[in-house]
Amino acid sequence: MADPHLSVVLPACNEREAVEGSLAEVFAALAQLPQPSEVLVVDDGSTDGTAELVEAQIERQPSLRLIRLSRRFGKESALAAGLEHARGAYVALLDADLQDPPGEMLQMLAKAEQGYDVVYGVRRSRRSGLLRWLGYRAFYRLLRLISDLPVPLDSGDFSVLSRRVVDAIDRLPERHRFLRGMRTWVGFRQCGHLYDRPERRAGRSKYSLKDLCDLAVLGFLSCGRRPLAIVFQLGVALVGSGAAIGIAWAVLAASRAGEPWAAIAPWLTVLLVLAGVQLIAIGIVGAYLGRVLDQVEGRPRYLVERTVNCPPPTAPRP
Ligand code: UDP
Ligand code: MG
């Protein structure tokens, strides 16, 4: 089997309503390419028959491949599985709900062919609820602030990657993966591609508010060690200001002897603030420690239940 020019990776978790429409649009876009391509659907432990729907299409679409994971490992792991099984000279990462339009993917591929190793989609507009919109905006800006790397603003996983970038990412050994950070870390020639992100075509978002918060924490912890430094600096600042406030109030309270609560309240405030800072600091150190533990355990990022029409991974897993 000759290696395709482009591999399209679609992670899918319970996308029964969306996946057929998505595949139809992806294949329609790929039909415009003169070179051969392949489409890899990574079924992330769906329980709604997504894998069976995809499998049923393989007879009609011989370049369609299915990788079914043994349970839901999360989108980052599904993307890892897709990247490791993709054989193309270029690999495109698309959501299975058509929020990453296949037409834009072709334009991004054209840019990559001009010599860019990473072409990432940058959302000019995003159709989602106000809360999510605000959350995403805040997340990317905070990430930029605390990250050691210049992670591009408003760019998700939607991207086209060259073979050498895919190989480099495949070799990164971390268990906790945050692809957007890894993609920036590998370097090479990168550029953004502005696009309007449409609404999900069918089905519902698989990310709950808690999942999004977890993703944000993953992002912050993946992009350098600056949160640890920030907590340390915050701690020093608070201890300093707390002590100054405490001394000021002690002097004031001494001048108003007779009113004991007036003297105790500010001390209590200072105490609570300092205790809070310590707990936050311990929490952040704990989060890093958890990652170290996971890494030491060395479990695989995902397990494959079965593959259909898909050769084994191209890259040796670290
Ligand atoms: N997804 C996945 N595993 C998960 C969560 C999501 O494979 O645990 C897939 C999902 O099927 C979709 C893509 O990742 O193809 C993006 O998810 P979703 O559309 O729910 O996220 P949103 O666009 O709302 O951020
Ligand atoms: Mg979506």
Side-chain angles (χ1 to χ4, degrees):
M1 199 187 305
D3 283 347
H5 183 62
L6 177 68
S7 302
V8 181
V9 172
L10 300 169
C13 175
N14 294 332
E15 297 288 3
R16 189 187 174 81
E17 290 107 326
V19 78
E20 283 176 308
S22 303
L23 284 175
E25 283 210 21
V26 168
F27 279 114
L30 292 178
Q32 298 174 37
L33 289 180
Q35 306 96 335
S37 52
E38 64 174 0
V39 177
L40 297 96
V41 176
V42 185
D43 181 272
D44 187 20
S46 298
T47 50
D48 68 345
T50 300
E52 290 69 26
L53 272 182
V54 174
E55 200 173 340
Q57 296 219 359
I58 288 180
E59 251 175 60
R60 268 180 291 137
Q61 295 285 6
S63 61
L64 177 58
R65 324 209 180 291
L66 171 70
I67 302 154
R68 177 161 161 82
L69 306 187
S70 62
R71 64 169 173 84
R72 182 175 175 182
F73 282 90
K75 186 184 178 188
E76 295 287 339
S77 296
L79 288 173
L83 286 175
E84 284 164 17
H85 284 79
R87 314 179 81 84
Y90 294 93
V91 180
L93 304 174
L94 264 67
D95 285 356
D97 57 2
L98 286 177
Q99 284 198 283
D100 303 329
E104 305 284 347
M105 170 191 78
L106 291 184
Q107 294 178 33
M108 289 158 72
L109 175 68
K111 276 193 192 169
E113 286 166 341
Q114 285 163 20
Y116 286 100
D117 291 281
V118 175
V119 183
Y120 50 84
V122 179
R123 295 151 187 188
R124 185 165 28 211
S125 68
R126 168 198 279 279
R127 277 174 226 286
S128 58
L130 180 69
L131 200 66
R132 268 180 192 245
W133 183 82
L134 277 174
Y136 279 116
R137 275 190 80 82
F139 166 66
Y140 285 115
R141 275 141 194 87
L142 202 60
L143 186 64
R144 185 62 167 257
L145 198 73
I146 67 169
S147 173
D148 296 337
L149 295 165
V151 181
L153 292 174
D154 304 319
S155 68
D157 295 316
F158 184 28
S159 47
V160 172
L161 312 173
S162 71
R163 174 48 48 194
R164 61 177 173 173
V165 162
V166 173
D167 288 345
I169 290 177
D170 282 347
R171 280 193 202 98
L172 294 183
E174 53 248 61
R175 309 286 129 193
H176 288 263
R177 293 168 64 95
F178 183 61
L179 190 78
R180 293 158 228 195
M182 296 162 87
R183 197 175 64 194
T184 305
W185 182 88
V186 295
F188 298 109
R189 285 191 76 195
Q190 308 213 356
C191 75
H193 171 79
L194 273 179
Y195 77 108
D196 295 306
R197 189 164 168 85
E199 255 173 281
R200 165 182 266 281
R201 194 65 70 84
R204 289 180 33 219
S205 172
K206 303 302 168 310
Y207 283 102
S208 63
L209 198 61
K210 183 189 169 295
D211 292 336
L212 287 176
C213 292
D214 287 348
L215 184 69
V217 171
L218 176 71
F220 296 147
L221 296 184
S222 302
C223 291
R225 306 290 167 256
R226 217 178 274 177
L228 282 175
I230 292 176
V231 161
F232 179 73
Q233 290 157 2
L234 200 72
V236 170
L238 277 178
V239 168
S241 51
I245 294 170
I247 290 168
W249 273 97
V251 171
L252 212 74
S255 66
R256 295 186 175 196
E259 287 176 46
W261 286 112
I264 289 172
W267 286 107
L268 214 61
T269 315
V270 171
L271 202 76
L272 286 178
V273 168
L274 290 183
V277 170
Q278 283 177 27
L279 283 182
I280 292 171
I282 292 172
I284 291 186
V285 173
Y288 281 110
L289 198 67
R291 291 171 65 109
V292 173
L293 269 178
D294 284 348
Q295 197 72 25
V296 170
E297 277 181 351
R299 294 187 188 176
R301 296 185 274 251
Y302 60 84
L303 291 178
V304 175
E305 186 197 284
R306 66 195 159 99
T307 62
V308 185
N309 195 31
C310 186
T314 44
R317 290 216 231 150

